[in-house]
Amino acid sequence: MNVEQARQREISENPEFRLLRRAQRRTGIRMTALAVGGFLVYVLLSSFTPALMNTSLVGHLTLGLALGLGQFGVMALVARRHLVHMRTRIDPVARGFRTQAHKQQSDPGEQGTWQAAPFRSGGQHTWR
């Protein structure tokens, strides 16, 4: 095992990092399920209740068309909710974790510390 792999293992075994990854995963799964669920409901309604989907609402606007256009709203809602969740719950924890990593990196007396990867263009920061 080389030094880089040892750092990766140390980071991945950190309980705070594991909580961060778990929270990211849970949020992603919930948002994906909501988006896919909305599309699935639309497809099932279109397949099994064509008379309902052809119900006229206003002029040439049918329920099926309105629900189809509503999918854009569902996707906007999912994207917005995901963004708000990441900014309010995940990013502050990640910033604290990153600060802790940089502090440990700058302390030359500390043995066995890990360090974060350098910043990439656009201000993105990734862990190695």
Side-chain angles (χ1 to χ4, degrees):
M1 180 181 294
N2 64 23
V3 176
E4 187 64 32
Q5 289 173 335
R7 279 190 209 134
Q8 288 176 355
R9 174 175 241 158
E10 190 174 349
I11 290 170
S12 66
E13 289 175 356
N14 186 307
E16 187 177 344
F17 184 75
R18 286 184 179 197
L19 287 173
L20 180 68
R21 293 292 298 158
R22 190 176 314 134
Q24 282 181 307
R25 245 181 265 118
R26 274 194 319 241
T27 301
I29 289 169
R30 277 187 271 159
M31 295 299 152
T32 302
L34 179 62
V36 170
F39 287 121
L40 183 62
V41 166
Y42 177 74
V43 168
L44 291 175
L45 284 172
S46 295
S47 296
F48 296 109
T49 60
L52 176 67
M53 296 299 272
N54 285 326
T55 303
S56 181
L57 298 177
V58 176
H60 293 291
L61 180 66
T62 63
L63 179 61
L65 181 58
L67 289 176
L69 293 172
Q71 292 300 314
F72 290 104
V74 168
M75 289 308 298
L77 177 70
V78 166
R80 177 69 181 153
R81 182 66 193 121
H82 182 70
L83 180 67
V84 167
H85 178 78
M86 294 302 284
R87 284 186 178 167
T88 59
R89 304 249 175 133
I90 304 300
D91 290 347
V93 175
R95 276 192 298 275
F97 194 59
R98 188 179 306 126
T99 302
Q100 182 183 23
H102 286 292
K103 187 187 300 183
Q104 288 179 353
Q105 179 183 359
S106 66
D107 186 6
E110 187 136 353
Q111 293 293 324
T113 60
W114 45 269
Q115 49 183 285
F119 283 96
R120 292 186 177 184
S121 63
Q124 297 290 328
H125 189 277
T126 59
W127 299 101
R128 284 191 182 167

